Amino acid sequence: MTSVKEFRVDEPATADGLGRGRFVFTDAYSVFDWGQMPDAIPHKGASLCAMGAFNFELLEREGVPTHYRGVADPDSGRVVPLDEATAPPTEMAIDLTQVPDLPYEGPHAGYDYDAFHAAGGENYLVPLEVVFRNRVPVGSSLRRRREPADFGLDDLAGADGEWPDEPVDLPEPVVEFSTKYEQQDRYLTRAEADKVAGVADVEALESLARDVNRVVTDRAEAAGFVHEDGKIECLSVDGELRVADVVGTFDENRFSYGGRGISKEVVRQWYKANDPDWVAAVKEAKESVAGRETDDWRELCDESPDPLPPAVVEAVSDLYAAGANAYTGREWFDAPGVEAALDAAEGL
């Protein structure tokens, strides 16, 4: 099980071919890479499943290859297209690939990607996240790592060259690469990403990410959203890349609606404002793991997160449900409209 969804194997992948399995979306959530948090958000799992399936079917119609096979109808259990589901689905049928172990060899040697790829051969999950950005919101990590001038935005920078205090649209989408299976995500140079990717071609990964970004951005605009940023993961099988994991949800991507953000960022900001000791402890643990023989920073964290208050859980649940209704164009959930849900979330 990941921090937010269970992983079921019906037929395991082998060196010679893909397997079959399912994602089971739960109402668990994760922030700051902590893993499963102490409570749950009703309707979150079904919201993400519906949005992810909706986007996979859009991609397939656009000729973008994916590992998606349909959703499990809650009434019959049969795997069907999303529009044939009789209720909000929580299970997604997928093709499976091999996910080898990534050995950690200590602070000096780092992670052994050669061993990962030797085990994966020609059928493996690429150990990268391919990130695309259309906008630089206030909470974006890009603000810490790059300057406006890097993107031709000199006229928007302050006197000291820093980013302005509001979201900034990029002239063109930006694609970056980060690690997938290391204990802390690292953004990579193109050369580093090429080494981590194995036989998968970095240029092809970028092209696939740009195709996904275009499809999700167009759908978001049609539904009244702005698609700010997101990511994809990919499997490589016999030289072909396919989009894997889940695409275009409020956990994987950032959207805004009428100038207001609608994503998991709402929960992150609540913890920053209301549980700062835990947030600070997570940051300190991530920094202190450098140079140690262990790569698990959670072992070094001496704080645990507080549960969300019931009013916050309800507001965030409504936000996920309302957003999924609007994005997919189907009333899956009894939820307020997006603007009303955002009003309630802002009052937190």
Side-chain angles (χ1 to χ4, degrees):
M1 179 172 175
T2 68
S3 58
V4 298
K5 57 183 181 289
E6 297 175 3
F7 184 64
R8 297 182 181 172
V9 178
D10 298 322
E11 179 184 335
T14 68
D16 299 319
L18 297 174
R20 295 289 180 94
R22 297 189 183 195
F23 285 141
V24 181
F25 290 77
T26 74
D27 290 335
Y29 68 98
S30 173
V31 290
F32 303 115
D33 302 319
W34 179 257
Q36 188 168 335
M37 299 290 279
D39 46 15
I41 298 172
H43 305 311
K44 176 180 177 288
S47 298
L48 298 185
C49 186
M51 282 187 73
F54 186 88
N55 283 317
F56 273 134
E57 292 180 8
L58 283 179
L59 292 172
E60 292 283 358
R61 288 197 291 272
E62 290 289 319
V64 178
T66 80
H67 74 163
Y68 172 78
R69 296 178 42 243
V71 295
D73 179 68
D75 290 333
S76 68
R78 294 185 302 110
V79 174
V80 298
L82 181 63
D83 62 4
E84 294 181 19
T86 56
T90 58
E91 295 188 22
M92 178 184 293
I94 56 172
D95 290 324
L96 301 182
T97 188
Q98 298 183 109
V99 185
D101 290 332
L102 177 60
Y104 180 66
E105 303 296 337
H108 301 295
Y111 290 89
D112 189 348
Y113 282 99
D114 289 339
F116 178 95
H117 290 298
E122 296 290 328
N123 177 17
Y124 66 99
L125 191 67
V126 180
L128 288 170
E129 293 185 348
V130 190
V131 181
F132 40 79
R133 304 183 188 277
N134 305 308
R135 172 179 281 189
V136 189
V138 173
S140 174
S141 69
L142 198 70
R143 291 173 177 255
R144 301 191 302 271
R145 298 180 287 105
R146 305 284 293 274
E147 298 178 353
D150 295 335
F151 307 101
L153 297 170
D154 311 61
D155 57 326
L156 296 179
D160 52 4
E162 293 187 354
W163 292 92
D165 294 330
E166 64 272 349
V168 175
D169 289 322
L170 292 165
E172 298 290 338
V174 171
V175 174
E176 299 184 290
F177 299 90
S178 73
T179 55
K180 164 67 180 170
Y181 291 118
E182 298 182 10
Q183 285 292 335
Q184 298 189 57
D185 295 339
R186 287 188 301 126
Y187 281 94
L188 305 171
T189 66
R190 183 62 63 99
E192 289 171 331
D194 188 48
K195 177 173 173 34
V196 168
V199 297
D201 181 72
V202 169
E203 298 295 331
L205 286 166
E206 177 174 345
S207 178
L208 198 58
R210 291 187 182 278
D211 286 341
V212 172
N213 182 38
R214 171 181 53 80
V215 171
V216 174
T217 298
D218 287 349
R219 174 56 198 172
E221 182 178 0
F225 296 88
V226 173
H227 179 217
E228 297 183 341
D229 60 34
K231 68 175 179 66
I232 61 169
E233 298 171 20
C234 298
L235 63 83
S236 177
V237 54
D238 297 329
E240 180 190 35
L241 291 173
R242 302 184 191 179
V243 181
D245 196 51
V246 185
V247 172
T249 75
F250 298 131
D251 275 9
E252 277 75 26
N253 300 53
R254 265 189 282 218
F255 298 88
S256 59
Y257 191 95
R260 296 187 286 179
I262 175 169
S263 72
K264 191 169 62 173
E265 187 66 22
V266 172
V267 182
R268 292 191 193 97
Q269 294 304 320
W270 187 91
Y271 273 99
K272 286 181 178 180
N274 295 279
D275 196 1
D277 290 344
W278 172 68
V279 174
V282 166
K283 183 175 184 292
E284 181 180 349
K286 287 181 175 181
E287 292 171 349
S288 65
V289 78
R292 295 175 180 258
E293 290 301 320
T294 178
D295 64 336
D296 189 354
W297 58 266
R298 295 167 193 82
E299 294 179 355
L300 308 176
C301 189
D302 55 6
E303 296 280 345
S304 296
D306 294 334
L308 295 172
V312 175
V313 171
E314 181 180 358
V316 175
S317 174
D318 282 347
L319 194 61
Y320 274 95
N325 284 348
Y327 188 90
T328 63
R330 178 171 171 178
E331 294 296 312
W332 295 103
F333 307 98
D334 181 11
V338 177
E339 290 188 358
L342 282 166
D343 288 342
E346 282 189 350
L348 302 177

